[in-house]
Amino acid sequence: MYTTSKEMLLKAQQGGYAVGAFNAENMEMIRAIIAAAEELKAPVMIQTTPGTVRYASLETFAAIVKAEAEKVSVPVCLHLDHGESYEMAVKAIQVGYSSVMIDGSKLSLEENIELSKRVADVGRACGVPVEAELGRVGGKEDDTESKDSAYTDPQEAKRFVEETGVDSLAIGIGTAHGVYKVKPVLNTQRISEVKEVVDVPLVLHGSSGLSDEDVRDCVKRGMCKVNFATELRQEYLKATRKLLNEDDTVIDPKKIGKVAMEAVKKQVEYRMKVCGCDGKA
Ligand SMILES: [Zn+2]
């Protein structure tokens, strides 16, 4: 069932668990994520970065996810991850994305508020929830890059949410995108502090490579959406490479797609259980 992220995130907030948000690069990953959600009876968010959108297009991803979502009973949402401009966020809403993020975290606080509010206004008028980011998630994911992480200031977060009217907020607590080269130092206390003064669902980025304990602690403290991207790519590639190394007679892309889907599905199911969203649809 194709839905927005509004209800699933509010339910997660009330229920004390998080919805898993999984980045997809192609049809195989989309089908694997939806298959995992259906099997575990979990609400799910599928998301695409600007780099992924440029690889195919917003229209193509919207069409595939809608077609696949209609085949299952669990709620499936398609979300624009790290929307990089007002134009891209609005275009995503126009072509049928059911949730968007506008990432103004590199801007000054005033500019971030202005941009996020403009997108939130359009989202509200169209019934599409909007996520914004305050503070910074470090590392690099496709075209999204930040040299360092910055912890979100709770009072700034309060003001940001009040003035922009966004539906959910990604905050910086020391995580980074991509592959961790050293163990990250997380300020999970900061989640509790922001949750004290902000009433919209909070979002955790840079979760690939975090331990189950870290993810559970973040969820317990108030993260309602947890993003996983890098580790799905790694599982996809590992399975593909293994098949091709073991059997150099493979000429059918479907055969490669099948093992890749199985690997991604397994990882998604594992992370859904860590987030506690299994059985919640
Ligand atoms: Zn992110």
Side-chain angles (χ1 to χ4, degrees):
M1 181 180 45
Y2 192 57
T3 66
T4 74
S5 56
K6 185 82 182 178
E7 197 189 350
M8 62 173 83
L9 291 184
L10 289 178
K11 270 185 164 171
Q13 190 181 37
Q14 284 155 14
Y17 60 93
V19 174
F22 301 95
N23 284 68
E25 316 293 333
N26 57 20
M27 182 202 74
E28 285 73 13
M29 295 180 85
I30 290 169
R31 293 194 59 189
I33 295 162
I34 293 177
E38 182 73 348
E39 186 148 320
L40 292 188
K41 294 291 163 231
V44 71
M45 292 179 70
I46 294 172
Q47 50 189 23
T48 59
T49 62
T52 303
V53 166
R54 278 188 279 276
Y55 171 66
S57 70
L58 288 165
E59 293 89 340
T60 299
F61 283 111
I64 298 174
V65 173
K66 277 191 212 171
E68 292 297 320
E70 293 307 337
K71 297 176 187 168
V72 297
S73 61
V74 295
V76 177
C77 164
L78 175 61
H79 176 80
L80 175 66
D81 190 24
H82 292 285
E84 59 190 13
S85 66
Y86 172 83
E87 290 72 24
M88 182 182 273
V90 170
K91 176 90 191 291
I93 292 171
Q94 282 170 342
V95 305
Y97 272 58
S98 54
S99 184
V100 297
M101 176 186 186
I102 180 71
D103 183 355
S105 62
K106 288 192 192 106
L107 304 172
S108 68
L109 176 62
E110 304 302 327
E111 290 168 331
N112 191 359
I113 288 176
E114 199 259 317
L115 173 64
S116 300
K117 182 181 186 314
R118 277 171 72 208
V119 176
D121 287 346
V122 175
R124 198 175 311 107
C126 302
V128 174
V130 174
E131 173 186 333
E133 178 169 322
L134 183 64
R136 260 196 323 278
V137 179
K140 181 168 166 49
E141 179 180 328
D142 289 344
D143 308 332
T144 303
E145 184 168 17
S146 244
K147 281 193 181 58
D148 53 347
S149 316
Y151 299 141
T152 303
D153 178 84
Q155 285 309 316
E156 276 187 12
K158 180 175 190 289
R159 183 187 153 204
F160 185 91
V161 169
E162 285 169 358
E163 293 189 14
T164 58
V166 295
D167 299 275
S168 60
L169 184 68
I171 59 171
I173 60 151
T175 59
H177 292 121
V179 179
Y180 286 106
K181 291 178 189 88
V182 290
K183 200 177 180 304
V185 181
L186 303 187
N187 183 351
T188 54
Q189 176 62 30
R190 186 53 58 94
I191 306 170
S192 310
E193 290 162 9
V194 173
K195 195 188 170 213
E196 276 289 302
V197 292
V198 166
D199 56 7
V200 297
L202 302 178
V203 180
L204 180 64
H205 284 244
S207 324
S208 284
L210 293 189
S211 70
D212 294 353
E213 293 69 39
D214 279 341
V215 173
R216 282 196 195 99
D217 186 29
C218 290
V219 171
K220 203 175 70 194
R221 288 175 181 274
M223 289 295 191
C224 306
K225 170 179 179 252
V226 180
N227 292 359
F228 299 99
T230 303
E231 62 187 43
L232 301 188
R233 298 175 176 187
Q234 289 170 325
E235 291 305 310
Y236 187 106
L237 263 298
K238 216 188 336 176
T240 304
R241 210 171 272 134
K242 182 166 180 284
L243 172 70
L244 295 179
N245 283 342
E246 285 172 358
D247 182 358
D248 61 7
T249 66
V250 177
I251 53 158
D252 184 354
K254 293 193 289 300
K255 203 165 174 184
I256 303 170
K258 275 179 192 161
V259 297
M261 279 194 275
E262 205 42 57
V264 172
K265 178 170 175 261
K266 217 172 120 194
Q267 184 68 17
V268 170
E269 287 180 358
Y270 157 61
R271 284 307 202 175
M272 282 175 160
K273 287 176 187 162
V274 175
C275 289
C277 58
D278 52 314
K280 298 294 197 298

mmCIF file of all heavy atoms in Angstrom, residues 5-17 19 43 75 201 224 280-281:
data_model
loop_
_atom_site.group_PDB
_atom_site.id
_atom_site.type_symbol
_atom_site.label_atom_id
_atom_site.label_comp_id
_atom_site.label_asym_id
_atom_site.label_seq_id
_atom_site.Cartn_x
_atom_site.Cartn_y
_atom_site.Cartn_z
ATOM 1 N N SER A 5 4.752 9.333 4.769
ATOM 2 C CA SER A 5 5.505 8.958 5.970
ATOM 3 C C SER A 5 4.853 9.501 7.243
ATOM 4 O O SER A 5 5.294 9.200 8.346
ATOM 5 C CB SER A 5 6.938 9.502 5.870
ATOM 6 O OG SER A 5 6.919 10.905 5.667
ATOM 7 N N LYS A 6 3.799 10.311 7.075
ATOM 8 C CA LYS A 6 3.221 11.022 8.232
ATOM 9 C C LYS A 6 2.783 10.070 9.345
ATOM 10 O O LYS A 6 3.284 10.131 10.467
ATOM 11 C CB LYS A 6 2.021 11.853 7.749
ATOM 12 C CG LYS A 6 1.387 12.730 8.816
ATOM 13 C CD LYS A 6 2.163 14.018 8.979
ATOM 14 C CE LYS A 6 1.573 14.890 10.078
ATOM 15 N NZ LYS A 6 2.363 16.109 10.241
ATOM 16 N N GLU A 7 1.833 9.200 8.988
ATOM 17 C CA GLU A 7 1.237 8.341 10.011
ATOM 18 C C GLU A 7 2.252 7.330 10.550
ATOM 19 O O GLU A 7 2.309 7.058 11.752
ATOM 20 C CB GLU A 7 0.024 7.622 9.425
ATOM 21 C CG GLU A 7 -0.874 7.037 10.492
ATOM 22 C CD GLU A 7 -1.949 6.137 9.905
ATOM 23 O OE1 GLU A 7 -2.115 6.123 8.665
ATOM 24 O OE2 GLU A 7 -2.582 5.422 10.678
ATOM 25 N N MET A 8 3.068 6.764 9.661
ATOM 26 C CA MET A 8 3.996 5.733 10.134
ATOM 27 C C MET A 8 5.020 6.292 11.130
ATOM 28 O O MET A 8 5.398 5.634 12.086
ATOM 29 C CB MET A 8 4.659 4.963 8.985
ATOM 30 C CG MET A 8 5.507 5.730 8.032
ATOM 31 S SD MET A 8 6.377 4.626 6.858
ATOM 32 C CE MET A 8 5.154 4.340 5.595
ATOM 33 N N LEU A 9 5.443 7.552 10.925
ATOM 34 C CA LEU A 9 6.420 8.127 11.856
ATOM 35 C C LEU A 9 5.767 8.540 13.177
ATOM 36 O O LEU A 9 6.374 8.390 14.247
ATOM 37 C CB LEU A 9 7.139 9.315 11.206
ATOM 38 C CG LEU A 9 8.094 8.959 10.065
ATOM 39 C CD1 LEU A 9 8.823 10.200 9.556
ATOM 40 C CD2 LEU A 9 9.109 7.897 10.485
ATOM 41 N N LEU A 10 4.531 9.032 13.109
ATOM 42 C CA LEU A 10 3.842 9.397 14.356
ATOM 43 C C LEU A 10 3.545 8.153 15.189
ATOM 44 O O LEU A 10 3.674 8.158 16.412
ATOM 45 C CB LEU A 10 2.550 10.164 14.045
ATOM 46 C CG LEU A 10 2.767 11.585 13.494
ATOM 47 C CD1 LEU A 10 1.439 12.253 13.165
ATOM 48 C CD2 LEU A 10 3.570 12.454 14.459
ATOM 49 N N LYS A 11 3.162 7.075 14.507
ATOM 50 C CA LYS A 11 2.920 5.806 15.217
ATOM 51 C C LYS A 11 4.204 5.302 15.868
ATOM 52 O O LYS A 11 4.201 4.798 16.995
ATOM 53 C CB LYS A 11 2.431 4.736 14.226
ATOM 54 C CG LYS A 11 0.931 4.670 14.052
ATOM 55 C CD LYS A 11 0.643 3.490 13.145
ATOM 56 C CE LYS A 11 -0.771 3.030 13.155
ATOM 57 N NZ LYS A 11 -0.986 2.025 12.081
ATOM 58 N N ALA A 12 5.311 5.435 15.148
ATOM 59 C CA ALA A 12 6.602 4.997 15.686
ATOM 60 C C ALA A 12 6.957 5.827 16.918
ATOM 61 O O ALA A 12 7.441 5.315 17.931
ATOM 62 C CB ALA A 12 7.691 5.129 14.621
ATOM 63 N N GLN A 13 6.696 7.125 16.828
ATOM 64 C CA GLN A 13 6.983 8.026 17.949
ATOM 65 C C GLN A 13 6.172 7.626 19.181
ATOM 66 O O GLN A 13 6.699 7.554 20.285
ATOM 67 C CB GLN A 13 6.641 9.463 17.530
ATOM 68 C CG GLN A 13 7.117 10.517 18.500
ATOM 69 C CD GLN A 13 6.727 11.909 18.043
ATOM 70 O OE1 GLN A 13 5.643 12.122 17.489
ATOM 71 N NE2 GLN A 13 7.602 12.869 18.263
ATOM 72 N N GLN A 14 4.895 7.324 18.948
ATOM 73 C CA GLN A 14 4.036 6.918 20.073
ATOM 74 C C GLN A 14 4.434 5.547 20.616
ATOM 75 O O GLN A 14 4.370 5.290 21.811
ATOM 76 C CB GLN A 14 2.565 6.879 19.631
ATOM 77 C CG GLN A 14 1.928 8.250 19.509
ATOM 78 C CD GLN A 14 0.745 8.267 18.542
ATOM 79 O OE1 GLN A 14 0.233 7.214 18.165
ATOM 80 N NE2 GLN A 14 0.321 9.447 18.146
ATOM 81 N N GLY A 15 4.842 4.659 19.688
ATOM 82 C CA GLY A 15 5.129 3.276 20.075
ATOM 83 C C GLY A 15 6.547 3.031 20.560
ATOM 84 O O GLY A 15 6.892 1.932 20.981
ATOM 85 N N GLY A 16 7.411 4.047 20.450
ATOM 86 C CA GLY A 16 8.777 3.886 20.938
ATOM 87 C C GLY A 16 9.657 2.995 20.084
ATOM 88 O O GLY A 16 10.578 2.350 20.573
ATOM 89 N N TYR A 17 9.381 2.958 18.790
ATOM 90 C CA TYR A 17 10.257 2.226 17.877
ATOM 91 C C TYR A 17 10.600 3.158 16.707
ATOM 92 O O TYR A 17 10.156 4.317 16.702
ATOM 93 C CB TYR A 17 9.585 0.935 17.367
ATOM 94 C CG TYR A 17 8.288 1.136 16.614
ATOM 95 C CD1 TYR A 17 8.274 1.260 15.222
ATOM 96 C CD2 TYR A 17 7.069 1.223 17.287
ATOM 97 C CE1 TYR A 17 7.088 1.449 14.538
ATOM 98 C CE2 TYR A 17 5.881 1.411 16.610
ATOM 99 C CZ TYR A 17 5.894 1.517 15.230
ATOM 100 O OH TYR A 17 4.724 1.721 14.545
ATOM 101 N N VAL A 19 10.945 3.564 12.297
ATOM 102 C CA VAL A 19 10.716 3.022 10.960
ATOM 103 C C VAL A 19 12.069 2.971 10.260
ATOM 104 O O VAL A 19 12.826 3.941 10.317
ATOM 105 C CB VAL A 19 9.744 3.923 10.161
ATOM 106 C CG1 VAL A 19 9.609 3.445 8.727
ATOM 107 C CG2 VAL A 19 8.373 3.972 10.846
ATOM 108 N N PRO A 43 6.056 -1.334 8.560
ATOM 109 C CA PRO A 43 5.945 -0.150 7.700
ATOM 110 C C PRO A 43 7.344 0.129 7.158
ATOM 111 O O PRO A 43 8.323 -0.187 7.838
ATOM 112 C CB PRO A 43 5.499 0.952 8.659
ATOM 113 C CG PRO A 43 6.017 0.508 10.000
ATOM 114 C CD PRO A 43 5.965 -1.007 9.986
ATOM 115 N N PRO A 75 2.284 -0.571 4.694
ATOM 116 C CA PRO A 75 2.482 0.778 4.156
ATOM 117 C C PRO A 75 3.908 0.991 3.640
ATOM 118 O O PRO A 75 4.879 0.688 4.344
ATOM 119 C CB PRO A 75 2.187 1.691 5.350
ATOM 120 C CG PRO A 75 2.209 0.846 6.556
ATOM 121 C CD PRO A 75 2.018 -0.577 6.147
ATOM 122 N N PRO A 201 8.834 13.866 15.051
ATOM 123 C CA PRO A 201 9.723 12.703 15.044
ATOM 124 C C PRO A 201 11.152 13.080 14.638
ATOM 125 O O PRO A 201 11.346 13.900 13.737
ATOM 126 C CB PRO A 201 9.085 11.781 14.005
ATOM 127 C CG PRO A 201 7.639 12.163 13.984
ATOM 128 C CD PRO A 201 7.627 13.641 14.221
ATOM 129 N N CYS A 224 12.897 8.198 15.466
ATOM 130 C CA CYS A 224 11.702 7.509 14.946
ATOM 131 C C CYS A 224 11.905 7.018 13.526
ATOM 132 O O CYS A 224 11.059 6.295 12.980
ATOM 133 C CB CYS A 224 10.506 8.443 14.959
ATOM 134 S SG CYS A 224 10.194 9.165 16.568
ATOM 135 N N LYS A 280 4.672 -4.130 13.165
ATOM 136 C CA LYS A 280 3.966 -2.887 13.486
ATOM 137 C C LYS A 280 3.046 -2.392 12.354
ATOM 138 O O LYS A 280 2.416 -1.354 12.484
ATOM 139 C CB LYS A 280 4.981 -1.785 13.833
ATOM 140 C CG LYS A 280 5.833 -2.103 15.059
ATOM 141 C CD LYS A 280 4.968 -2.158 16.308
ATOM 142 C CE LYS A 280 5.753 -2.057 17.601
ATOM 143 N NZ LYS A 280 6.704 -3.132 17.843
ATOM 144 N N ALA A 281 2.963 -3.149 11.261
ATOM 145 C CA ALA A 281 2.087 -2.711 10.148
ATOM 146 C C ALA A 281 0.758 -3.465 10.197
ATOM 147 O O ALA A 281 0.717 -4.598 10.645
ATOM 148 C CB ALA A 281 2.761 -2.976 8.809
#
